Amino acid sequence: MDQFMERAVELAVENVRNGGEPFGAVLVKNNKQVAEGVNELHKRFDITAHAEIQAMRRAQKMMHSHELKGYTMYASGEPCPMCLTAMYYAGLDTIYYCNASEDAVEAGLGKAKSIYAELQKPKSERHMEMVHMPLKDGQEDPMQLWQERT
C-alpha cells in the first residue's frame, strides 16, 4: 500500500515542477491502481479540478458509473471539504493522506481549513449568503417528479 502513497506524493512533486499545486491522488481497488490525478486548476481554469476529483472522474468515466464503493483513495494532502464530500457521494471506503491541512496552511494553501470552519456555522452566520427561494405556485416540483419516477 505504501507504493500508492509514494505514487501520490510523486505526482504532487511533478505537479509543482510543472507549475501546479502540491497535490496528487491515486485511486485503488483490490490493491490495484485504477486512476490517478493531480490538481489541474492552473491548466483547466476549473476550481473543481483537484487531484482526488480528477482521479475519480477518470475512474467513473472508464466504468460508466458514479459509484466507487470498495475503492480507496491515496492523497498526498488531506482532502479539502469539496473532495471529501465528493468521496462520500461516490461511496469510497477509505482515504489515506500524507500532508495534513495544517501543512497546507503553513505552505500558504489554507482555504480548506477556513471552509471547514465556515461549514460549522449556521447558514445565517456564514460569509457567503444563502437565500432560500421556494417554488412558485403552480411550478412543477423536480423533487416530487423524482419521487414519482423512482
Side-chain angles (χ1 to χ4, degrees):
M1 287 190 218
D2 285 335
Q3 70 196 29
F4 303 123
M5 184 57 77
E6 286 177 19
R7 178 63 182 150
V9 172
E10 182 180 289
L11 288 165
V13 168
E14 286 175 22
N15 203 44
V16 170
R17 288 193 173 123
N18 291 324
E21 293 181 339
F23 301 103
V26 175
L27 189 62
V28 173
K29 184 166 188 182
N30 299 326
N31 212 27
K32 291 188 175 152
Q33 181 174 325
V34 176
E36 60 184 32
V38 296
N39 271 37
E40 296 182 5
L41 285 72
H42 65 294
K43 289 182 181 178
R44 298 183 181 274
F45 305 105
D46 175 359
I47 199 67
T48 68
H50 288 199
E52 301 92 334
I53 301 276
Q54 294 298 87
M56 290 190 301
R57 284 178 177 154
R58 288 180 178 108
Q60 290 168 331
K61 188 174 181 178
M62 282 188 299
M63 297 179 325
H64 299 277
S65 174
H66 62 275
E67 290 286 329
L68 294 174
K69 290 180 193 228
Y71 285 75
T72 300
M73 181 68 73
Y74 291 82
S76 65
E78 185 174 353
C80 75
M82 175 184 67
C83 293
L84 183 60
T85 301
M87 288 185 260
Y88 270 108
Y89 272 114
L92 268 74
D93 290 351
T94 308
I95 304 163
Y96 294 97
Y97 64 92
C98 192
N99 289 117
S101 337
E102 293 78 16
D103 300 322
V105 168
E106 197 173 301
L109 297 161
K111 279 189 182 177
K113 196 135 179 95
S114 63
I115 293 170
Y116 276 124
E118 187 76 5
L119 293 174
Q120 297 298 313
K121 298 176 186 175
K123 291 177 191 169
S124 62
E125 294 177 21
R126 293 181 187 164
H127 175 73
M128 186 181 299
E129 186 176 10
M130 291 181 63
V131 181
H132 176 231
M133 295 180 68
L135 292 170
K136 293 181 181 177
D137 287 338
Q139 190 173 16
E140 189 170 22
D141 184 344
M143 295 296 175
Q144 183 179 348
L145 185 62
W146 171 257
Q147 285 178 327
E148 292 167 3
R149 195 183 102 193
T150 58

